[in-house]
Amino acid sequence: MKKTTENELENDLRPEYNFAQMSGGVRGKYADRCQSETNIVVLEPDVAQAFPTEASVNEALRLLIQVAQRQQA
């Protein structure tokens, strides 16, 4: 069996594809599911500087939730 080289793989690609002529594809097929399963929040630059990691944001919000629950009680 002949090994496939990088040059052979590169030659299989066309310089341009016309997706309008391709059938079977559905634009945004999984968009609703993606939005329902993810919760992306964009932080303002000053807030992002104070909370540089996902863990630090979650820790601060959990603390805020605890404080708010104590104030209600």
Side-chain angles (χ1 to χ4, degrees):
M1 232 169 120
K2 184 180 174 186
K3 290 186 178 181
T4 305
T5 63
E6 281 188 39
N7 289 340
E8 290 175 13
L9 290 176
E10 288 176 11
N11 292 335
D12 287 346
L13 297 176
R14 297 179 187 168
E16 187 173 314
Y17 287 87
N18 185 352
F19 293 106
Q21 292 178 346
M22 295 183 180
S23 63
V26 178
R27 184 180 177 110
K29 183 176 180 178
Y30 299 105
D32 290 337
R33 183 170 71 180
C34 180
Q35 286 181 341
S36 69
E37 293 178 1
T38 59
N39 188 11
I40 297 174
V41 177
V42 179
L43 302 176
E44 294 291 328
D46 59 327
V47 177
Q49 189 175 14
F51 301 102
T53 66
E54 177 181 328
S56 64
V57 172
N58 287 328
E59 183 180 349
L61 290 174
R62 286 186 181 106
L63 181 61
L64 182 61
I65 291 169
Q66 290 176 359
V67 170
Q69 287 173 344
R70 288 181 188 156
Q71 292 294 323
Q72 289 178 351

